[in-house]
């Protein structure tokens, strides 16, 4: 909706005259005409805006036309027209006998501006030539309406998530701050524990910087040891052939002073119902890591800009665990900074839920992670294994938050399953034991290792087929 106000102001109105800056003045036998549009400061989406076109003349006015200019000036959309020939508002001007210097003002009001209203506007004024009414003299001016939009959303995510925990070498870690809905692009910066982070600007995104870690990793990664809390060895630590060793690490499988006796074998390993173990490295890092910063501005179809700011550094799990990182945004349309924050945290104490709670032979059992003892960021990676054997489907491991065992056989009674939850800050293992009860609907020994009922069901099926064959031959 556009509201139009037109009025005549005499030259005695000095308050209005003080705002007028003469753009053009053409004074001939027909008189003179000057047109100016009052400049506008940037406005915010939803504000009411008034466009004011002031023109001074001693001639006879013919028309006023307002245009909105689009497509780089190639298209002019007419938003208001005043034609003096079909209006009586200025009829008293027709019979004047002396040249009176008058100031006119035409006003266009936009009650609630939108991003689409952003752009240039023109005011065109025409007056009659004093010599002949057949000739109209035109003059115009323009103004640019700059419509700003504050960001509407902000979020901090981890790049390449979920990602595994690196046990034997340092790795880069990237936080991505995504700010949407702003115009112009906002200023984005990161803080750690409330302190502004000094960053090194990057021209390319972090993914393309292969040698980023070489700056400090050569002196950061010196040695590593297992956490003292990991005293009770699980079967995963016995697979020494499947694990690589770094020249900068100590042997993680050596016996410690606190260990009693040799490492137990898979056969004699004694693990209680649920075991939670946390593996956490002891990196020797510089206490002042280098933070690298890269920002991308992506234009959106609605005229706004999506900003993706990336903060990359060499992760130190022992120092960065429980560190609070925040992304803050400053924008001219915001009265105070907008922010989003995350706390880096390794997973601790996964909570395992098994359904049904009382599994019977032939049931489909679901073992899932329901949560953790703490808030974990970034999202962890889950891996399921069976202690001392393969999973029911024959695979060695299963990725995902849930493990599904279909038609469990009786031989899985007492089997133990390990869930490893890990993110770049740490890794934790949780074990749970499957107890399988007898199913009165299934005779004992009638199922195979996959839970299908072969011995009993197949014998009955063969007997029925033989009887049908004999009956058909007799008939």
């Amino acid at each position: 909706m556009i509201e139009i106000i037109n009025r005549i102001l005499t030259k005695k109105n000095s308050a209005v005259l003080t705002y007028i800056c003469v753009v053009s003045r053409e004074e001939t036998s027909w008189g003179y005409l000057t047109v100016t549009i009052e400049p506008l400061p940037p406005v915010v989406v939803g504000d009411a805006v008034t466009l004011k076109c002031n023109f001074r003349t001693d001639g006879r006015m013919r028309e006023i036309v307002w245009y909105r200019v689009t497509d780089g000036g190639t298209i002019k959309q007419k938003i208001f027209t005043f034609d003096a020939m079909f209006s009586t508002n200025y009829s008293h001007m027709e019979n004047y006998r002396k040249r009176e210097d008058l100031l006119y003002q035409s006003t266009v009001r936009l009650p609630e501006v939108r991003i689409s209203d952003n752009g240039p506007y023109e005011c065109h004024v025409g007056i009659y030539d004093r010599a002949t009414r057949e000739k109209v003299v035109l003059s115009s001016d323009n103004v640019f309406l700059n419509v700003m939009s504050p960001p509407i959303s902000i979020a901090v995510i981890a790049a390449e998530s979920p990602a595994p925990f690196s046990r034997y070498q340092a790795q880069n870690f990237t936080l991505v701050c995504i700010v949407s809905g702003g115009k112009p692009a906002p200023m984005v910066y990161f803080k750690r524990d409330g302190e502004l982070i000094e960053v090194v600007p990057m021209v390319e995104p972090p993914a393309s910087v292969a040698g980023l870690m070489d700056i400090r990793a050569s002196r950061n990664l010196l040695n590593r040891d297992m956490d003292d809390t990991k005293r009770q060895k699980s079967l995963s630590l016995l697979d020494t052939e499947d694990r690589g060793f770094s020249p900068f690490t100590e042997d993680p499988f050596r016996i410690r002073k606190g260990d009693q006796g040799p490492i137990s074998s898979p056969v004699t390993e004694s693990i209680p119902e649920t075991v939670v173990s946390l593996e956490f490295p002891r990196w020797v890092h510089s206490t002042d890591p280098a933070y690298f910063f890269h920002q991308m501005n992506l234009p959106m179809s609605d005229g706004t800009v999506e900003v993706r700011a990336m903060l990359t550094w060499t992760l130190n799990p022992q120092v960065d665990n429980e560190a609070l990182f925040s992304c803050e945004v400053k924008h001219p349309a915001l009265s105070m900074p907008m922010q989003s924050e995350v706390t880096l945290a390794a997973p601790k104490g996964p909570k395992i839920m098994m359904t049904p709670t009382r599994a019977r032979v032939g049931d489909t059992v679901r073992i899932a992670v329901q949560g953790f003892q703490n808030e974990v960021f970034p999202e962890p990676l889950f891996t399921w294994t069976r202690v001392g054997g393969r999973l029911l489907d024959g695979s060695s491991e299963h990725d995902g938050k849930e493990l599904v065992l279909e038609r469990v056989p009786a031989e899985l009674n007492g089997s133990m399953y390990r869930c490893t939850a890990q993110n770049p800050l740490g890794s934790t293992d949780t074990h749970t034991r499957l107890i399988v009860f007898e199913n009165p609907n299934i005779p004992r020994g009638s199922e195979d290792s996959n839970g299908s009922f072969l011995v009993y069901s197949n014998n009955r099926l063969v007997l029925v087929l033989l009887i049908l064959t004999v009956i058909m031959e007799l008939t």
Side-chain angles (χ1 to χ4, degrees):
M1 175 181 178
I2 298 177
E3 299 178 3
I4 307 299
I5 303 175
N6 292 278
R7 62 180 182 271
I8 301 176
L9 302 177
T10 66
K11 59 183 178 181
K12 295 180 182 179
N13 194 340
S14 58
V16 174
L17 292 176
T18 56
Y19 290 94
I20 295 178
C21 175
V22 176
V23 175
S24 62
R25 181 184 179 100
E26 303 175 15
E27 189 166 0
T28 62
S29 58
W30 49 266
Y32 66 89
L33 173 65
T34 59
V35 179
T36 61
I37 299 181
E38 296 183 12
L40 291 171
V43 297
V44 181
V45 169
D47 287 352
V49 177
T50 300
L51 307 177
K52 297 179 180 180
C53 178
N54 301 307
F55 54 97
R56 180 183 294 173
T57 182
D58 62 350
R60 201 176 308 173
M61 191 177 65
R62 171 63 177 86
E63 63 178 0
I64 305 171
V65 182
W66 281 90
Y67 293 97
R68 180 185 168 213
V69 184
T70 59
D71 294 337
T74 58
I75 299 178
K76 292 185 178 182
Q77 178 185 359
K78 189 180 296 185
I79 60 175
F80 167 73
T81 300
F82 171 80
D83 194 331
M85 291 184 63
F86 302 98
S87 175
T88 60
N89 291 344
Y90 296 92
S91 58
H92 66 282
M93 294 288 295
E94 295 292 337
N95 299 320
Y96 74 97
R97 295 186 178 182
K98 62 179 180 179
R99 297 177 61 179
E100 185 178 3
D101 187 6
L102 294 180
L103 176 67
Y104 300 83
Q105 185 179 79
S106 176
T107 303
V108 174
R109 187 173 183 271
L110 307 177
E112 293 184 4
V113 294
R114 299 169 294 179
I115 289 290
S116 57
D117 295 325
N118 186 85
Y121 290 79
E122 294 183 356
C123 174
H124 293 247
V125 179
I127 63 172
Y128 287 111
D129 192 325
R130 294 178 62 86
T132 172
R133 292 180 60 91
E134 302 298 328
K135 183 179 179 181
V136 176
V137 180
L138 299 175
S139 184
S140 65
D141 193 16
N142 63 79
V143 68
F144 191 91
L145 178 61
N146 184 10
V147 182
M148 300 187 301
S149 174
I152 59 175
S153 67
I154 180 173
V156 178
I157 63 174
E160 300 179 357
S161 179
F165 171 62
S166 180
R167 291 174 171 82
Y168 305 113
Q169 62 180 358
Q171 59 181 337
N172 290 334
F173 185 74
T174 300
L175 287 177
V176 183
C177 181
I178 303 176
V179 185
S180 303
K183 177 187 175 297
M187 183 178 70
V188 182
Y189 52 93
F190 286 90
K191 288 184 178 181
R192 174 174 176 152
D193 297 326
E195 299 292 332
L196 184 65
I197 298 176
E198 295 184 4
V199 297
V200 179
M202 289 194 307
V203 178
E204 297 294 332
S208 63
V209 184
L212 195 65
M213 193 169 54
D214 297 339
I215 298 177
R216 301 205 176 210
S218 59
R219 69 172 185 270
N220 289 345
L221 183 58
L222 299 180
N223 67 54
R224 172 205 180 270
D225 199 354
M226 295 290 293
D227 192 344
D228 289 336
T229 60
K230 188 134 179 154
R231 295 298 182 87
Q232 188 172 13
K233 308 294 189 298
S234 67
L235 289 181
S236 63
L237 298 182
L238 300 177
D239 294 337
T240 57
E241 310 130 1
D242 298 335
R243 298 175 182 264
F245 294 91
S246 168
F248 300 105
T249 62
E250 296 178 330
D251 186 355
F253 310 118
R254 61 181 175 84
I255 299 177
R256 302 176 182 275
K257 295 180 180 179
D259 292 336
Q260 302 295 329
I263 300 176
S264 58
S265 66
V267 178
T268 61
E269 182 182 22
S270 176
I271 303 179
E273 284 289 325
T274 301
V275 177
V276 178
S277 57
L278 176 65
E279 185 172 357
F280 197 71
R282 290 177 177 171
W283 306 104
V284 179
H285 280 269
S286 168
T287 57
D288 186 21
Y291 292 94
F292 297 87
F293 180 83
H294 176 76
Q295 179 171 320
M296 295 189 302
N297 296 338
L298 307 176
M300 299 288 103
S301 59
D302 60 355
T304 61
V305 178
E306 181 180 280
V307 176
R308 297 193 177 188
M310 286 158 275
L311 183 71
T312 302
W313 74 98
T314 302
L315 189 69
N316 182 345
Q318 193 160 2
V319 175
D320 293 332
N321 194 49
E322 304 298 336
L324 175 65
F325 285 84
S326 61
C327 171
E328 297 193 5
V329 171
K330 286 186 176 180
H331 192 274
L334 292 174
S335 58
M336 60 184 301
M338 174 188 290
Q339 73 169 9
S340 177
E341 57 186 26
V342 294
T343 300
L344 304 188
K348 295 179 182 179
K351 300 176 183 178
I352 302 296
M353 177 70 69
M354 184 183 298
T355 54
T357 56
R358 183 182 174 89
R360 299 186 300 178
V361 174
D363 287 348
T364 296
V365 177
R366 300 178 182 273
I367 310 174
V369 178
Q370 296 296 319
F372 297 90
Q373 294 178 359
N374 64 329
E375 293 187 7
V376 181
F377 183 88
E379 179 185 358
L381 181 67
F382 300 94
T383 304
W384 295 87
T385 55
R386 180 185 172 188
V387 177
R390 291 183 172 270
L391 297 175
L392 187 58
D393 60 1
S395 60
S396 59
E397 63 181 30
H398 171 76
D399 294 330
K401 203 171 184 178
E402 183 181 66
L403 175 66
V404 179
L405 306 174
E406 297 184 356
R407 302 190 304 276
V408 293
E411 65 184 41
L412 288 185
N413 182 38
S415 59
M416 182 166 288
Y417 296 87
R418 177 190 301 112
C419 175
T420 301
Q422 57 182 322
N423 67 8
L425 292 146
S427 174
T428 182
D429 292 342
T430 297
H431 297 73
T432 186
R433 192 182 299 277
L434 175 63
I435 305 299
V436 182
F437 295 89
E438 292 184 2
N439 191 338
N441 298 324
I442 302 175
R444 182 178 299 180
S446 63
E447 76 282 344
D448 66 352
S449 59
N450 290 325
S452 58
F453 318 113
L454 298 177
V455 179
Y456 180 77
S457 300
N458 285 358
N459 288 343
R460 291 191 60 182
L461 180 61
V462 171
L463 181 61
V464 171
L465 291 176
L466 287 175
I467 294 175
L468 290 176
T469 303
V470 172
I471 293 175
M472 291 181 66
E473 289 180 353
L474 292 177
T475 56

